[in-house]
Amino acid sequence: MHPGLPSGKPDYSRTVPCKCVQQEQDTERLTRLKKYSNLGSLTRFIFDNLIPEGRSSNPQAQERFNKVFKAAKDFAAKPEGWLVFSGPSGSGKTHLAAAIVNECIEKGFPALYLTTPDLLDRLRASMNQDSEMPYDEFFDQVKTAPLLALDDLGVQSGTNWAKEKLDQLLNHRFNASLPTVIVTAVALDQMDDRLRTRLTDTRLCRAFVLEEASATSIYAWPPEFELQKNMTFTSFNREYPLSLDIQQNLEDVFHIAFDFAKNPDGWLVIVGETGRGKTHLASAIVNHRFGMGKPALFVVVPDFLDHLRSTFNPESKISYDQLFESVKTAPFLVLDDFGEQSMNPWVKEKLYQLINYRYNSRLPMVITTRLSLDEIMKEVDSTISSRLVDRNISQIFAIIAPDFRVDERGRKNPHPKSPRRR
């Protein structure tokens, strides 16, 4: 259509879209921006459904979160410099970052959201000849994005290649002063010197800690492990009529577990049938670590794999990368009920990735299983079993005690007693 002149006559020298066409163009542009953003299901994370004071009942925490909330709103209104959010899982970091990206998109400003592991995976994939977007084109798109929100920085694998790519990306955006939001669960003082120096440079960056968390609060027992919370080395000390060889066996595994809790080195694999005390000892190790102010993570293998699958649901509150990396890189890990999981190619791949990473990194771990040593060698994939039984890293102990839930006459014992330590 032609716009009107001051005289009221049409200006035939110019054309402008009508309201219907303009609305259609705006809708198309918004659709393109949303696709470019890579937000996926995170489009639901906006400022309107985020509590400005956060969810904590602590007034100081509320005040802290409100300050971060306002900083995020201001940044979304005028993206300049770098905004860095750090804090434990569930503190609201990802919601804030996604809200910034969503608000910018609504205003017609291009913004790109990526998790660090996803970025590295896509970079690797772009090297293939059949990739939809060549490596150079994709990497340049990320490096020069008008606004980049990079989530989960610090949970990626620490290979030299990954470090090099991240350094190239962040160095380019830092030197060009491109608006960037960084989200990390890793404390800034625990990061690589070069990265920490960049993220704390006040000339360009504003860093906010959403919630202070000690190592033990990050790895504390979740509600579903109320029973394990009370399994300690002290509560393992109960009377039960046993033969001398079984008493000695339990005495030995008790001291091995106790020594491992104090100074974990390598892996401890505890083998035994159900009801022999494997989970009790593994939980006691975790509780002892907590008592020392040290982090520890306890996972039941079948449940962990179920949780990992559930992260593919768009409604999941935690990403696949976030969950898998938190378990894979935990400073101290217990894998309870290994061997109870159903096996398929996906399960084998995930277990191999987990165990191989910890094997190569020599991260301490406790594994409990009903499988005997022979069964581990015969029934478990060799890529996994070869690491579990490697005497250079693993200490394997088989508990020969009877089921403590059954009395000496083979009847179910409603109040099973653990063996006495002598």
Side-chain angles (χ1 to χ4, degrees), residues 193-387:
D193 288 343
R194 183 177 174 83
L195 184 57
R196 183 182 66 252
T197 301
R198 192 178 289 133
L199 296 182
T200 56
D201 190 328
T202 56
R203 293 173 298 176
L204 183 68
C205 303
R206 298 181 66 196
F208 294 91
V209 179
L210 274 74
E211 183 180 327
E212 296 285 359
S214 64
T216 53
S217 67
I218 296 174
Y219 294 98
W221 289 110
E224 64 267 26
F225 290 123
E226 191 64 30
L227 185 63
Q228 284 83 349
K229 187 188 296 185
N230 298 313
M231 292 180 175
T232 65
F233 287 113
T234 301
S235 65
F236 197 72
N237 181 19
R238 296 180 183 178
E239 294 183 2
Y240 199 82
L242 297 167
S243 64
L244 289 177
D245 60 330
I246 294 178
Q247 287 181 3
Q248 186 59 54
N249 177 261
L250 288 166
E251 182 75 11
D252 290 343
V253 71
F254 178 92
H255 285 294
I256 288 171
F258 188 62
D259 290 342
F260 192 85
K262 292 187 293 182
N263 185 28
D265 183 19
W267 297 356
L268 175 60
V269 181
I270 306 177
V271 176
E273 290 292 337
T274 302
R276 269 60 173 176
K278 304 184 305 298
T279 295
H280 191 131
L281 286 170
S283 302
I285 292 172
V286 170
N287 284 313
H288 190 84
R289 299 295 294 169
F290 287 163
M292 295 172 64
K294 302 291 185 180
L297 182 62
F298 184 104
V299 298
V300 179
V301 175
D303 293 344
F304 163 63
L305 292 168
D306 285 345
H307 293 158
L308 201 59
R309 291 186 190 94
S310 70
T311 61
F312 294 118
N313 188 323
E315 300 301 316
S316 175
K317 295 181 180 180
I318 185 171
S319 70
Y320 165 86
D321 294 314
Q322 190 177 9
L323 175 59
F324 193 51
E325 291 293 327
S326 68
V327 175
K328 191 172 72 171
T329 62
F332 186 99
L333 177 66
V334 171
L335 291 180
D336 193 34
D337 280 347
F338 178 84
E340 302 303 313
Q341 69 281 349
S342 59
M343 294 301 290
N344 57 51
W346 181 84
V347 169
K348 289 181 180 178
E349 178 188 357
K350 295 305 112 182
L351 288 177
Y352 170 74
Q353 290 174 349
L354 168 62
I355 290 173
N356 187 57
Y357 179 88
R358 299 190 69 84
Y359 179 84
N360 291 330
S361 303
R362 289 302 194 259
L363 290 172
M365 183 162 62
V366 176
I367 300 154
T368 73
T369 179
R370 287 195 306 141
L371 300 176
S372 67
L373 182 58
D374 287 342
E375 289 171 331
I376 291 175
M377 296 299 296
K378 293 177 181 178
E379 299 179 14
V380 178
D381 190 272
S382 60
T383 58
I384 297 173
S385 63
S386 62
R387 287 154 177 77

Side-chain angles (χ1 to χ4, degrees), residues 26-168:
D26 290 344
T27 301
E28 290 178 357
R29 175 172 170 76
L30 183 60
T31 301
R32 290 196 303 270
L33 288 173
K34 285 184 177 180
K35 183 177 180 180
Y36 168 81
S37 73
N38 193 52
L39 276 171
S41 63
L42 297 186
T43 52
R44 70 185 190 279
F45 286 173
I46 58 177
F47 286 112
D48 288 346
N49 57 24
L50 181 60
I51 303 172
E53 293 79 23
R55 296 182 177 181
S56 175
S57 57
N58 186 313
Q60 292 182 334
Q62 291 178 351
E63 183 179 353
R64 182 202 299 264
F65 192 89
N66 185 251
K67 182 179 179 180
V68 181
F69 181 88
K70 290 179 179 178
K73 288 276 288 183
D74 292 342
F75 187 90
K78 189 177 182 182
E80 289 182 345
W82 285 23
L83 202 57
V84 182
F85 299 138
S86 66
S89 177
S91 57
K93 309 183 302 297
T94 294
H95 194 137
L96 285 166
I100 290 173
V101 173
N102 277 311
E103 185 133 325
C104 287
I105 289 172
E106 288 295 329
K107 294 177 180 178
F109 188 82
L112 176 63
Y113 170 91
L114 284 167
T115 67
T116 306
D118 184 43
L119 164 66
L120 295 171
D121 284 346
R122 290 176 65 175
L123 277 175
R124 293 186 188 96
S126 67
M127 295 177 182
N128 296 330
Q129 293 182 349
D130 57 351
S131 173
E132 294 183 5
M133 183 181 292
Y135 168 86
D136 291 333
E137 184 179 344
F138 173 66
F139 199 25
D140 188 64
Q141 182 186 84
V142 179
K143 287 195 297 185
T144 61
L147 169 62
L148 174 65
L150 189 61
D151 202 350
D152 288 339
L153 181 66
V155 304
Q156 71 282 349
S157 60
T159 64
N160 290 333
W161 181 85
K163 291 178 181 178
E164 178 187 351
K165 295 302 112 181
L166 287 174
D167 188 67
Q168 290 175 357

